[in-house]
Amino acid sequence: MTTLQDWRGLRMMSEPRRLHPATVLMYTLRLVRQFIIPVALFVFFQANGEDGPVLASVAMGVVWFAVGVIVLIAGSAAWGYIAWRHYTYRIENGEFRIEHGVLNKKRRYIPLERIQTVDFVEGIVHRLFRVVKVRVETAGGTEPEANLEAVARPEAEQLRHFLNAMRNEPDSPSAFDGAAAGEQGETDGQSSAAFGADSCERRITLRELLIAGVTSGSVGVIFSLVGGAFSFFDDLLPLDDVVDRIGNYVSGQVTVPFIALIAVTALVVAWLAATLSVALKFGNFRVKRAGDYLSVERGLLERRRSTLPIKRIQSVRLVEGVLRQPFGYVTVHVVSAGYGGSGSDSYEEDATVIFPLMAKKDVVPFLDRFVPEFAPEDVKLERLPRRAWRRFVVPGVAVSALVALLLSYFFDPWGWLSWILVPLAVGYGTMCYSDEGWHLAYHHLVVRSRSIARTTAVVTRRRIQSSTLKQSPFQLKADLATFQVNVASGSTGKRFSVRHVDRRDGERLLEWASHRRNRQVKRS
């Protein structure tokens, strides 16, 4: 029932509204961040080209840098103010309308029925001004359709309320319920049910957060970032002389223990950095079910709040990283029709995490409480036939043998060491074969596969968009097939498959999944 307050609020939202004035500061900081390095490099090269005493060149460089920073801040602030003045949004004629642009005027009209999710993000600056960044996602989009940089919290809640109400969606719970408690770091609770019969909540514990950081496997990413940064600055700055001097200094002191100490120190530092990164990302993690919605909050410095309608969840994924699998821990994701873009946006991937670390024995009770539609019972995976083993091993062995052959020919004798890739390919293929499997129940299909991490997906029959059974010439000879199901997610959907399954089992899976739905049988 529409109340007088709703009518007043809707009338207010139908008029062009500006973002919070804090937006000017955020636009200014963004521009300064984008241009500060080019300004610093320009000043550096200008000062480096000056003739005369070194101290005079340094002093001149400092003066030019200070002038450049002042001009940059002043220009960014002026541009940010003008951009803020030209940015308005409103709800009108069944559309969410945004108009912005300083030189080029842009109008973006988003039909309300296409809006899937409305999320809030709070950085440090947002918290200072008690505002949030509002992200509006639509069906079929590969990136957010709208990013409102800074909106006051009550107004953001009101905006989401009307976006849901005008799409005939049940109103979602306030994203700021208990926010104060969350900000105080209440991470000691396991599970609690304090919001009614169909409501429950679970927070990550400090122990779980530490284990999630240590087993995140992000060490390689840290090394890649450091290597990329070194390469970037090596192209811009004369670092060769510095590297040569360091090399000359340590050349007389290099020993095996010294190299081992450097390697262990770098590994420990990278591991600590990866652990800290995960702690900042998932600190104060909380998932709450209230009615028809799942609310997820996470982050220590940047607080992110997502609200997922239960009815738009298409499947559940359990991801076991290489370091987590031996200890029996998984990360629980959902596949939602409201997310699932190109996969290039880490926000999309992180927004679908409904719990970052959980013991496998706790998964089914957790799903039964939060998303009972996807809680399977008595899962006993069916294994692949033994003749499928070759299909997993032979391609990897062929590729690794070809690489080893080329390396051995061109880089003799050290290239012969590359033949170790062949037994590694056999081991990897055997591991993929052992992990692949499926389980079929009346409503649920459970499929498990491995690329690097092992992934188990739970799909229900009524969420399947299409199903496919494919046979290549090699599979046809071995009487094998690959079965695939697709569920709605973003613009491209999400696909789960069981590779090299026995053909008769594949036909059984296809018959189960294709009940009054699209079905395809392909031979390639």
Side-chain angles (χ1 to χ4, degrees), residues 26 122-130 300-303:
M26 294 175 189
E122 277 185 288
I124 296 176
V125 180
H126 291 89
R127 292 189 194 183
L128 291 176
F129 292 93
R130 300 183 66 79
L300 290 179
L301 295 181
E302 185 177 78
R303 194 77 179 146

Side-chain angles (χ1 to χ4, degrees), residues 173-409:
S174 169
F176 304 106
D177 288 344
E183 288 167 359
Q184 291 172 5
E186 292 185 4
T187 58
D188 56 345
Q190 270 288 349
S191 301
S192 63
F195 301 95
D198 59 348
S199 300
C200 47
E201 180 189 62
R202 176 163 176 158
R203 297 171 185 265
I204 194 169
T205 64
L206 181 59
R207 178 176 176 273
E208 290 171 336
L209 186 62
L210 289 176
I211 294 175
V214 172
T215 60
S216 66
S218 302
V219 177
V221 177
I222 299 296
F223 279 124
S224 300
L225 291 176
V226 173
F230 183 82
S231 176
F232 173 77
F233 286 107
D234 187 44
D235 292 338
L236 295 177
L237 302 175
L239 294 180
D240 292 343
D241 184 56
V242 178
V243 173
D244 289 342
R245 290 187 181 186
I246 294 176
N248 293 332
Y249 175 74
V250 301
S251 59
Q253 307 179 33
V254 171
T255 60
V256 172
F258 179 78
I259 295 175
L261 177 64
I262 294 295
V264 170
T265 302
L267 184 63
V268 170
V269 171
W271 214 300
L272 290 175
T275 302
L276 178 62
S277 171
V278 172
L280 294 176
K281 182 188 297 183
F282 292 114
N284 281 339
F285 189 96
R286 180 177 72 157
V287 57
K288 184 177 75 173
R289 171 163 184 172
D292 297 320
Y293 286 87
L294 276 186
S295 296
V296 177
E297 300 181 19
R298 63 180 175 84
L300 290 179
L301 295 181
E302 185 177 78
R303 194 77 179 146
R304 300 192 172 193
R305 298 183 172 91
S306 308
T307 303
L308 298 170
I310 297 287
K311 69 178 184 180
R312 293 204 180 119
I313 294 177
Q314 306 297 308
S315 67
V316 168
R317 289 191 303 133
L318 311 176
V319 180
E320 299 171 77
V322 174
L323 296 180
R324 291 176 182 173
Q325 185 181 339
F327 301 100
Y329 288 108
V330 301
T331 300
V332 185
H333 296 254
V334 294
V335 176
S336 170
Y339 294 109
S342 61
S344 59
D345 186 355
S346 61
Y347 180 89
E348 299 280 351
E349 179 69 11
D350 294 338
T352 61
V353 174
I354 61 171
F355 213 80
L357 187 87
M358 182 178 297
K360 288 175 65 176
K361 62 182 177 61
D362 296 331
V363 169
V364 172
F366 173 81
L367 296 178
D368 194 39
R369 295 182 62 206
F370 288 86
V371 280
E373 179 184 349
F374 299 96
E377 295 180 355
D378 300 327
V379 175
K380 295 179 181 176
L381 289 180
E382 300 281 347
R383 302 297 179 182
L384 302 183
R386 291 183 63 84
R387 63 183 184 279
W389 177 80
R390 287 186 299 172
R391 303 268 71 82
F392 285 91
V393 172
V394 171
V397 169
V399 172
S400 58
L402 178 61
V403 171
L405 189 62
L406 294 174
L407 293 176
S408 302
Y409 180 79

Side-chain angles (χ1 to χ4, degrees), residues 75-86:
S76 300
W79 184 268
Y81 176 77
I82 297 172
W84 170 74
R85 291 281 300 176
H86 286 78

Side-chain angles (χ1 to χ4, degrees), residues 165-176:
M166 297 184 72
R167 289 182 292 129
N168 295 319
E169 294 274 358
D171 197 16
S172 57
S174 169
F176 304 106

Side-chain angles (χ1 to χ4, degrees), residues 106-125:
K106 298 180 182 178
R107 297 179 181 179
R108 176 169 291 183
Y109 295 169
I110 307 170
L112 296 184
E113 64 270 15
R114 288 190 59 228
I115 294 177
Q116 296 290 317
T117 58
V118 181
D119 293 344
F120 299 155
V121 180
E122 277 185 288
I124 296 176
V125 180

